[in-house]
Amino acid sequence: MGANDQILTNARLVLEDDIVHGSLVIKDGMIMAVERGLSTLPGAIDCAGDLLIPGLIELHTDNMEKYFQPRPKVSWPPRSAALAHDAQMAASGITTVFDAVSIGDVDDHGMRQNALHQMVEALTEINRNGMARVDHRLHLRCEVCHPDTLARFQSLADTPELGLVSLMDHSPGQRQFASFDAYRVYYKGKHGFDDASLDAFIERQQGFSAQYSSAYRQAISQACHERGLALASHDDATVEHVAESLEYGTKVAEFPTTLEAAKASHKNGMAVMMGAPNVVRGGSHSGNIAASELVRHGVLDILSSDYYPAALLDAVFQIAAMEGGYDLPRAVACASRNPAKAVGFDDRGRISEGLRADLIRVREVNGHPLVQRVWCAGKQVH
């Protein structure tokens, strides 16, 4: 067998609709055979009865930003930052990651915009040069109420790694901040505004939203359809928001803030994404709908680690264990098969013959999933 060819045996294989005791044959980075029972071939790796699940697929994480600015006013060398982030993804069982970078920010002095192209360049460098452990893709988070968003999007729209674009409007009175009181509390805490400064800031952001949001949504969504890029909404709160998202051909509903919006999105064929930290912590940190509530209604389709990579695997097992939750194959699909489908990937996300050998060996100890090994395209990366 080749260097990356191997047989994994004595494992509980989490398939699409079942869990079976069996073995996998991996050759040239692909799953060549899924077999029930034990392999007696020499060199087979004994998985000691651990679970084998598909490698996790992360569609929305801004985790990379933490490595580029580990402390306020401290910038880290781009390649080192990207590689440190990559290592954490592998250790968390994430084998395909859509790194989310923000285009347009309500804070013009924040690091996000200054480091935007540095992050994209570092990401593409480690991906193309074989330095990355896992498969990195690009997710552009477009703040449609910012004057420069369309031009910045256009400058990155043809990046080969780009696979997902989300449309956001964090201006006061919109979606996540439909409540002006919540908006005032959040931005006073984040930026230290006094009342007069905050009033001026709110007036400015409302003006930007009125001037740019609608036109930018239309232009960016059209550009995405022309390029075959998946489109996501963000923080939809009402049926009207969902209807607007559907008009733009949206495939993914990121973090709907209400049960009403989540149900409408799911009913109309959008994949509903919620944050894994919401599951692990027991609710939303901003007071919106709990992800577990969407599970109980059967309308949660995709989990995202968002800002905490290890939360993704933890959340999968928590919703499989919760009362009224999903069984384990369905829970695993929320972080593998479903996100793959949402972005048009048909070569990964499941344990099946002919697909990429993106795999995690997981051992449950005291009800907690522990990552034992991770393979990306057949190569052990953790």
Side-chain angles (χ1 to χ4, degrees):
M1 293 193 299
N4 291 331
D5 296 345
Q6 52 205 304
I7 299 171
L8 308 179
T9 193
N10 190 20
R12 288 177 291 151
L13 309 176
V14 180
L15 308 179
E16 290 187 66
D17 300 306
D18 198 6
I19 302 174
V20 302
H21 188 227
S23 306
L24 292 182
V25 179
I26 299 170
K27 184 175 178 61
D28 297 328
M30 308 294 286
I31 299 172
M32 297 303 294
V34 180
E35 302 171 346
R36 292 178 180 266
L38 302 181
S39 172
T40 58
L41 293 176
I45 298 171
D46 186 349
C47 292
D50 293 338
L51 291 160
L52 274 180
I53 69 173
L56 306 183
I57 298 174
E58 169 60 70
L59 296 187
H60 175 126
T61 178
D62 53 13
N63 182 69
M64 186 165 64
E65 293 181 353
K66 302 173 186 176
Y67 290 96
F68 279 77
Q69 189 180 39
R71 287 188 177 181
K73 299 181 181 179
V74 174
S75 296
W76 206 255
R79 183 192 296 165
S80 294
L83 288 171
H85 159 67
D86 170 64
Q88 189 178 14
M89 292 295 107
S92 300
I94 297 169
T95 53
T96 302
V97 52
F98 283 70
D99 293 303
V101 295
S102 293
I103 297 183
D105 196 345
V106 293
D107 179 12
D108 285 330
H109 302 292
M111 66 80 63
R112 282 180 163 177
Q113 298 315 295
N114 294 333
L116 172 62
H117 285 279
Q118 283 188 348
M119 288 191 288
V120 172
E121 289 167 6
L123 166 68
T124 56
E125 179 194 3
I126 67 167
N127 215 40
R128 296 173 191 177
N129 292 347
M131 301 171 72
R133 292 170 172 81
V134 305
D135 187 11
H136 289 265
R137 303 301 174 105
L138 185 61
H139 172 174
L140 297 182
R141 305 175 64 207
C142 298
E143 190 69 58
V144 293
C145 62
H146 191 284
D148 297 334
T149 291
L150 182 57
R152 288 173 175 167
F153 167 79
Q154 290 169 336
S155 73
L156 295 169
D158 293 312
T159 305
E161 281 77 9
L162 179 59
L164 180 62
V165 175
S166 55
L167 303 178
M168 309 180 296
D169 187 344
H170 285 108
S171 60
Q174 298 294 322
R175 289 171 167 79
Q176 182 179 355
F177 294 112
S179 166
F180 278 86
D181 289 340
Y183 189 91
R184 297 183 73 89
V185 169
Y186 181 85
Y187 279 95
K188 270 190 173 182
K190 186 172 183 178
H191 298 297
F193 287 127
D194 58 29
D195 287 337
S197 298
L198 183 56
D199 287 340
F201 181 76
I202 287 174
E203 183 177 357
R204 174 176 176 260
Q205 295 306 121
Q206 286 182 307
F208 282 162
S209 182
Q211 184 174 357
Y212 301 111
S213 288
S214 180
Y216 283 5
R217 281 182 189 275
Q218 184 171 351
I220 293 171
S221 62
Q222 181 177 342
C224 289
H225 294 315
E226 290 171 354
R227 291 166 171 80
L229 300 172
L231 194 65
S233 63
H234 193 80
D235 292 336
D236 285 350
T238 67
V239 171
E240 290 75 22
H241 289 159
V242 174
E244 180 185 27
S245 296
L246 288 168
E247 288 179 7
Y248 290 115
T250 304
K251 299 296 185 184
V252 180
E254 287 189 343
F255 316 128
T257 62
T258 65
L259 179 59
E260 174 189 40
K263 282 185 171 181
S265 299
H266 184 83
K267 179 181 178 182
N268 285 282
M270 284 195 284
V272 175
M273 176 195 293
M274 292 295 280
N278 185 314
V279 175
V280 174
R281 296 181 64 255
S284 166
H285 72 275
S286 54
N288 296 320
I289 188 73
S292 59
E293 190 67 16
L294 301 193
V295 171
R296 293 187 179 96
H297 283 86
V299 297
L300 187 148
D301 303 300
I302 296 175
L303 286 166
S304 163
S305 71
D306 197 3
Y307 58 89
Y308 202 95
L312 190 53
L313 186 64
D314 288 354
V316 165
F317 279 78
Q318 284 196 27
I319 67 173
M322 64 181 277
E323 185 177 353
Y326 297 166
D327 62 21
L328 185 59
R330 186 178 179 185
V332 167
C334 290
S336 55
R337 184 180 74 220
N338 296 348
K341 181 180 178 181
V343 296
F345 283 175
D346 58 8
D347 65 341
R348 68 194 74 187
R350 295 173 289 126
I351 293 179
S352 183
E353 292 179 5
L355 300 190
R356 279 171 56 110
D358 292 346
L359 301 161
I360 319 170
R361 178 179 165 186
V362 179
R363 180 172 299 165
E364 291 185 270
V365 178
N366 296 328
H368 193 90
L370 300 179
V371 175
Q372 302 298 299
R373 298 285 188 274
V374 179
W375 294 266
C376 186
K379 180 180 179 181
Q380 186 175 323
V381 294
H382 178 76

